[in-house]
Amino acid sequence: MSAVPSTPSLLVDGRRIVLRENETILALARRSGIEIPTLCHVPGLAPEGGCRLCVVELGSGQLAAACHTQAQSGMEIRTSSDELRSLRRELLRWIAEAHPGTQDAASDSAFAELLAAHGLRGGLAAALGASRCAPRPGSAPEHPYLRFDAGKCITCRRCVQVCDGVQGAEVYGVLGRGSATQLAIGPRDAWSSSTCVSCGACVEACPTGAIADRDRPHGAHAAGDGAHATRSTCGYCGVGCQVDIATDGGRVQHIDAARDAEVNRGHLCAKGRYAHGWQRSSERLTTPLLREGDAFRAVSWDEALDFAARRLREIRNAHGGRALGVMTSSRSTNEAAYLLQRLFRAGLGSNHVDCCARVCHSSTALALSLATGTGAASACYDDLERARCLVVAGANPTEAHPVVGARIEQAARRGIPLIVIDPRRISLVDHAELHLAPRPGTNVALFGALAKLLLEEGLVDRAYLAERCEGLSELERFAEEFDLAEALRTCALDEATVRAAARRIGGGPALFVTGLGLSEVAQGVDGVLMLCTLAMLTGSIGRVGAGMLPLRGQNNVQGAADMGSMPDRVTGYQALDDEAMRARARELWGAEPPLEPGFTIPRMLEAARRRELRGLWIQGEDLAQSDPCEQEVLEALRSLELLIVQEMFLTDTAREAHLVLPAAGVLEQDGTFTNGERRIQRVRAAVPPPRGARADWEVAVELGLRLGLRGSHATPAAVMEEIARFAPALFGGVRTERLEGNGLHWPCPTPDHPGTPRVHQGGFLRGRGKLHAIPYLENAEHDVPGFPLTLITGRVLQHYNVGTMTRRTPQQVLVARDELELCAEDARALGLEDGDQVEIESRWGRTQAPARLSDRMRPGQLFLSFHFPETHANRVVGPVADPRSHCPQYKAVAVRLQKLPSAEPTSPR
């Protein structure tokens, strides 16, 4: 008799398998390549245990459901036998006979494949006929994406599981018993009255195609003949979800979440899954346009690039390189950003290089660099589930970063304490232990109060501070003199709530998830520095499940900055006077960048109005809609001798250009993006761009050749190889072929380096972490006579930035306009009702929007999104900005409201 192995193991179909801790029989079998059929089980979620198809036979002859039976050492399990096959066949027959509409399910649906595998498909179809039931009235037609066919629904509850356990929307329920059991969609059996966020997880989960969508009318498993899937990275927010893009005949058929992706773990939001219709919009630009008088003339690419090279060279020769500037696109690739900043620095002699991070994340990046030595996240997304405490400050991830938002919500549901710091009652507040709602623009006062309480109550990690940090004595003196009562009055918060937050944060390391509510205020840099101070006081930075995790807004805003799209740093955040960098520039670029730092975008626009900046290249950004002081932006653009815009559509900014170059979009070009956790991932062309549009990187190469710039880059991979050579400390080990699968986190300095998901684990990159003691400064938009309300601007879930892409998809049906949110108390005082047209006026300008009453807003505070150009949200945002980062204050603007006479709303463009 053979000895029992010392390592815990068991036998499955006669095969010995080593046991893992807390593993079900089903999980063990699947990782071992042993197939056990299931119908109700969703991998990664708690077992449902309803279908019983996964029944297996134990050594004792007992039958057990594999999905929720714990595997134990010494077990003998049989997954397939005549008895088991007969039992499963009868279960499937009963389900199919009880739900005859399933006979019309697509042949490659999960349920149809199970029927076929058990010899039931043909026989049942002949016996039952194609008896498809009609959709229940009201449950399907009203949604722009989703469809429900009640006749195919077997109430397996997979949709319930993913909606609750992944997205957290709780849309679905099961009503009735026995043969009367049916699926319910929201309280009124309609998506429109439910909490549905259109993520489509239910479609992928449904085994019969009962829940389908407009991209896959027969269900998630029915891809269609000829469909080809391309793995790529989503082109919306900075989460960086991996996607599988199914195409046929050069058209996108549908987009699925990559199930094996570490970033999104098989999940997507509505934009990532469904908002791809922009790619085939009839409004796409397909030929270069050259201005002649007040109109554009279509020209060839050769004429366009010859014109661009000639005019750039003429302006440089007449006025010097500092008369030219460039803004790279955070929607485009790393390779495109690198080449364009390279072209302006080495080819034209200008450091006037910037990107949209200037008007969103620049405060965060600068503060993180000053405090820790690197202007990026110290943590990674995996830390969300490993945190002891989550602090979400100035971010609304369930709307702006939905996949990360869903993970935060699920973490809170599992019991991880969540603190939300936000003026609005965002949806995460429903799952939070504490909600701190400071007055907009008072973050520095709040974080100073928390620092005082942490020190006062002894809730700091003294060993961590002694080993890793500097500035503690100065901070302690600051805390002793800090007026807690005054800070609480400034923030409009009570002491008990703030003290409770300090005690929760002070219990050990915490993960600080941040957003634009910290960055886009006058003390943006100071606020993030003070939050970093809280993180260091609690020993959080450089530890697993803790640290700083700023959520980046656009798909490649992190990468654009990494590539050198800033006026005082080149690729890899190297200083302009770094001699080693300058030597590499001579070798790889054939020229050194100028030593004098350039202008940020706000400074470039000021220089344009003074006629000092004469030429500007804008790659994929609509400054006329996205930047503050809209009229001054337009004045600056109209003052330029040369404005070149690369775009997919004729935006308000492009209409002011002298030359418009049609651009390929994210679905149409190769390269890489870098997400908010510093993960560099592949981007692949799934379909060709419209005839006449070109990838951004290709345009930069062509223009560089015309300007005599050294280097020949035949592919994005060749560009990435040069990036690795130019900035070896961060990217030396990055090669395109190494990014297969889940990519690499920088720093990745050598070809054998695995990447760095968490930085500062062995110590801060700047040597020692810097604690800061910064007082609150009065905000210029507070207590402004005649303007009693405070406006916050930002995103909503259904749209993305200025809406260039999402407004050309069915997202337009979900949300068709910008709306002004205000509380019922303010609405009553102003005599406003839902839908009333309101004039919003600040010291800087005025605009109009329909009112929407919202329980998310506190009295005296308003919220307005900026996705639609006809709203002109940034007409009311003024020049107040952070003095160091130059990031505008979008999150606190003094305004007043006036009800307008009823009028037909303007049709969205």
Side-chain angles (χ1 to χ4, degrees):
M1 187 176 193
S2 60
V4 177
S6 58
T7 303
S9 64
L10 72 172
L11 291 174
V12 181
D13 297 335
R15 175 181 164 192
R16 185 162 297 282
I17 300 173
V18 174
L19 189 63
R20 293 180 183 172
E21 190 176 357
N22 297 324
E23 192 170 35
T24 64
I25 293 173
L26 180 61
L28 178 145
R30 287 191 167 171
R31 73 169 169 84
S32 305
I34 299 169
E35 184 58 37
I36 298 175
T38 64
L39 198 52
C40 68
H41 182 69
V42 178
L45 298 181
E48 176 70 17
C51 71
R52 291 307 191 209
L53 274 184
C54 69
V55 68
V56 296
E57 185 178 316
L58 305 183
S60 61
Q62 177 187 358
L63 298 179
C67 67
H68 61 74
T69 301
Q70 203 74 13
Q72 298 178 19
S73 186
M75 274 184 167
E76 294 186 14
I77 300 165
R78 181 177 296 176
T79 67
S80 181
S81 67
D82 290 343
E83 181 183 356
L84 290 173
R85 282 190 291 273
S86 176
L87 177 59
R88 291 167 182 159
R89 179 185 172 89
E90 290 308 307
L91 283 169
L92 287 166
R93 179 189 295 276
W94 178 82
I95 294 170
E97 290 177 347
H99 305 87
T102 58
Q103 293 305 304
D104 197 28
S107 61
D108 55 356
S109 72
F111 186 64
E113 289 176 350
L114 281 170
L115 292 178
H118 289 80
L120 292 171
R121 178 70 173 174
L124 276 178
L128 298 173
S131 52
R132 178 175 180 171
C133 299
R136 287 208 304 273
S139 66
E142 96 289 346
H143 199 282
Y145 298 127
L146 304 179
R147 308 286 184 264
F148 178 54
D149 186 337
K152 293 180 183 177
C153 179
I154 60 174
T155 57
C156 65
R157 294 179 55 89
R158 286 171 63 91
C159 58
V160 179
Q161 293 180 72
V162 296
C163 192
D164 295 1
V166 176
Q167 180 57 46
E170 298 183 343
V171 171
Y172 299 104
V174 175
L175 304 177
R177 301 181 66 181
S179 60
T181 302
Q182 65 179 30
L183 187 71
I185 304 172
R188 298 186 184 89
D189 203 22
W191 278 300
S192 60
S193 59
S194 75
T195 54
C196 179
V197 295
S198 309
C199 71
C202 54
V203 177
E204 285 209 33
C206 182
T208 65
I211 302 177
D213 60 36
R214 61 178 287 144
D215 290 345
R216 293 161 297 188
H218 302 295
H221 304 276
D225 294 337
H228 169 76
T230 301
R231 175 66 56 91
S232 192
T233 303
C234 180
Y236 283 107
C237 77
V239 171
C241 294
Q242 290 283 283
V243 293
D244 290 325
I245 306 165
T247 58
D248 193 0
R251 287 175 61 91
V252 175
Q253 298 295 307
H254 63 263
I255 297 177
D256 290 329
R259 298 191 180 189
D260 57 346
E262 293 176 359
V263 169
N264 49 313
R265 302 177 176 182
H267 191 40
L268 285 175
C269 74
K271 296 186 289 288
R273 188 185 301 276
Y274 295 123
H276 52 79
W278 58 266
Q279 190 272 329
R280 51 187 178 271
S281 168
S282 61
E283 296 179 279
R284 287 290 298 273
L285 295 171
T286 58
T287 186
L289 301 173
L290 185 62
R291 179 171 296 282
E292 290 188 350
D294 293 332
F296 286 114
R297 174 173 65 88
V299 297
S300 69
W301 270 99
D302 279 340
E303 183 177 350
L305 291 174
D306 287 345
F307 169 84
R310 176 174 56 81
R311 290 295 292 125
L312 288 168
R313 191 183 294 113
E314 287 172 351
I315 293 172
R316 181 199 60 191
N317 292 344
H319 305 285
R322 290 180 69 83
L324 297 169
V326 64
M327 185 176 185
T328 71
S329 176
S330 296
R331 289 189 290 149
S332 196
T333 62
N334 286 319
E335 292 77 6
Y338 171 79
L339 289 173
L340 197 53
Q341 64 86 35
R342 175 189 193 268
L343 186 150
F344 270 74
R345 287 188 156 115
L348 295 167
S350 177
N351 279 326
H352 294 335
V353 181
D354 214 349
C355 68
C356 80
R358 182 62 49 201
V359 295
C360 54
H361 294 285
S362 57
S363 297
T364 302
L366 178 56
L368 285 168
S369 179
L370 292 171
T372 71
T374 182
S378 72
C380 63
Y381 297 154
D382 282 352
D383 289 315
L384 293 169
E385 288 80 19
R386 304 174 76 170
R388 182 203 61 84
C389 174
L390 284 163
V391 180
V392 176
N396 186 10
T398 54
E399 296 209 40
H401 304 85
V403 170
V404 161
R407 287 176 65 172
I408 293 172
E409 180 177 325
Q410 295 300 330
R413 288 182 171 203
R414 289 193 297 273
I416 296 177
L418 171 64
I419 298 172
V420 173
I421 302 174
D422 198 288
R424 296 192 295 158
R425 185 181 174 85
I426 62 174
S427 64
L428 283 179
V429 172
D430 294 338
H431 308 280
E433 180 179 295
L434 292 166
H435 176 210
L436 279 64
R439 186 183 187 188
T442 62
N443 300 322
V444 172
L446 172 57
F447 299 154
L450 288 168
K452 177 183 177 69
L453 293 171
L454 288 172
L455 288 163
E456 184 181 277
E457 299 202 12
L459 299 173
V460 299
D461 189 334
R462 293 280 175 180
Y464 178 96
L465 293 170
E467 179 185 350
R468 292 189 171 210
C469 301
E470 63 186 20
L472 180 59
S473 58
E474 293 89 341
L475 180 62
E476 288 175 323
R477 286 195 297 272
F478 171 82
E480 287 174 7
E481 299 171 1
F482 189 88
D483 189 333
L484 181 62
E486 178 61 27
L488 295 174
R489 282 192 296 273
T490 296
C491 299
L493 294 171
D494 65 274
E495 182 176 343
T497 303
V498 176
R499 193 173 290 274
R503 289 171 177 168
R504 173 57 75 187
I505 295 169
L511 180 62
F512 296 85
V513 181
T514 68
L516 299 184
L518 297 191
S519 185
E520 292 180 341
V521 289
Q523 275 192 287
V525 174
D526 292 346
V528 179
L529 285 171
M530 289 300 289
L531 191 68
C532 289
T533 295
L534 298 181
M536 286 185 269
L537 286 174
T538 54
S540 299
I541 299 178
R543 288 182 169 169
V544 174
M548 305 299 294
L549 187 59
L551 300 178
R552 299 310 194 191
Q554 294 198 44
N555 52 296
N556 200 37
V557 68
Q558 181 66 57
D562 295 345
M563 293 300 108
S565 300
M566 54 184 63
D568 58 344
R569 300 271 165 172
V570 297
T571 310
Y573 303 96
Q574 298 173 93
L576 292 170
D577 60 359
D578 184 314
E579 285 302 326
M581 177 279 293
R582 300 183 72 79
R584 288 190 291 270
R586 289 193 298 272
E587 176 191 354
L588 297 171
W589 296 359
E592 299 178 4
L595 281 167
E596 184 179 358
F599 290 161
T600 60
I601 274 291
R603 298 294 181 264
M604 284 192 240
L605 295 176
E606 291 173 8
R609 288 194 295 274
R610 297 192 303 266
R611 307 298 173 97
E612 294 173 9
L613 188 82
R614 296 169 181 267
L616 180 62
W617 185 300
I618 299 176
Q619 184 187 67
E621 298 293 344
D622 189 2
L623 300 189
Q625 189 180 341
S626 64
D627 281 34
C629 305
E630 179 185 307
Q631 293 305 315
E632 292 185 8
V633 170
L634 290 171
E635 179 189 342
L637 298 180
R638 291 165 183 166
S639 298
L640 293 164
E641 293 179 20
L642 176 66
L643 175 61
I644 299 173
V645 175
Q646 283 177 276
E647 255 299 354
M648 297 188 295
F649 300 96
L650 196 62
T651 62
D652 286 350
T653 300
R655 289 186 179 91
E656 304 297 333
H658 299 94
L659 177 65
V660 181
L661 302 176
V666 61
L667 301 172
E668 305 157 350
Q669 60 179 317
D670 294 327
T672 58
F673 293 157
T674 305
N675 75 352
E677 56 172 354
R678 296 169 288 99
R679 188 193 297 261
I680 307 169
Q681 300 182 108
R682 287 289 305 275
V683 180
R684 295 177 177 86
V687 291
R691 185 182 299 274
R694 290 191 182 181
D696 297 327
W697 73 272
E698 293 177 339
V699 176
V701 169
E702 286 289 329
L703 189 60
L705 292 174
R706 282 171 166 79
L707 292 172
L709 192 60
R710 178 183 297 179
S712 175
H713 304 90
T715 64
V719 182
M720 179 55 72
E721 186 171 344
E722 180 174 304
I723 293 167
R725 293 175 62 194
F726 186 81
L730 296 189
F731 311 120
V734 178
R735 298 293 186 277
T736 300
E737 60 270 19
R738 291 196 67 202
L739 301 177
E740 296 298 328
N742 288 294
L744 290 166
H745 297 83
W746 65 257
C748 181
T750 59
D752 58 350
H753 195 282
T756 312
R758 299 173 186 88
V759 294
H760 313 303
Q761 284 191 285
F764 287 101
L765 296 187
R766 71 183 300 277
R768 296 179 73 83
K770 175 65 175 173
L771 299 166
H772 286 79
I774 302 172
Y776 168 73
L777 303 176
E778 288 296 328
N779 195 297
E781 294 287 342
H782 287 173
D783 305 317
V784 178
F787 298 90
L789 304 171
T790 300
L791 176 68
I792 303 166
T793 66
R795 297 186 191 181
V796 298
L797 169 67
Q798 294 81 4
H799 287 284
Y800 172 69
N801 284 7
V802 297
T804 305
M805 296 192 294
T806 51
R807 285 185 282 106
R808 293 172 170 91
T809 75
Q811 296 293 112
Q812 177 85 346
V813 178
L814 295 172
V815 170
R817 61 186 184 179
D818 293 316
E819 294 178 319
L820 179 74
E821 293 185 37
L822 74 166
C823 70
E825 180 180 329
D826 287 340
R828 282 194 300 271
L830 294 163
L832 294 173
E833 297 181 357
D834 258 332
D836 285 346
Q837 197 72 6
V838 181
E839 181 179 79
I840 310 158
E841 183 182 4
S842 72
R843 291 175 291 167
W844 321 109
R846 64 183 68 187
T847 190
Q848 300 177 14
R852 180 161 70 86
L853 275 62
S854 170
D855 60 5
R856 305 199 302 180
M857 305 306 300
R858 298 174 72 184
Q861 297 175 10
L862 314 167
F863 177 82
L864 178 66
S865 57
F866 59 92
H867 303 298
F868 291 83
E870 55 270 20
T871 303
H872 298 285
N874 286 318
R875 281 183 180 172
V876 300
V877 179
V880 177
D882 186 284
R884 285 192 275 182
S885 69
H886 302 165
C887 185
Q889 181 166 272
Y890 293 105
K891 303 305 183 190
V893 182
V895 299
R896 59 189 174 203
L897 301 183
Q898 181 178 343
K899 182 179 177 179
L900 295 174
S902 298
E904 289 294 319
T906 305
S907 298
R909 182 166 56 196

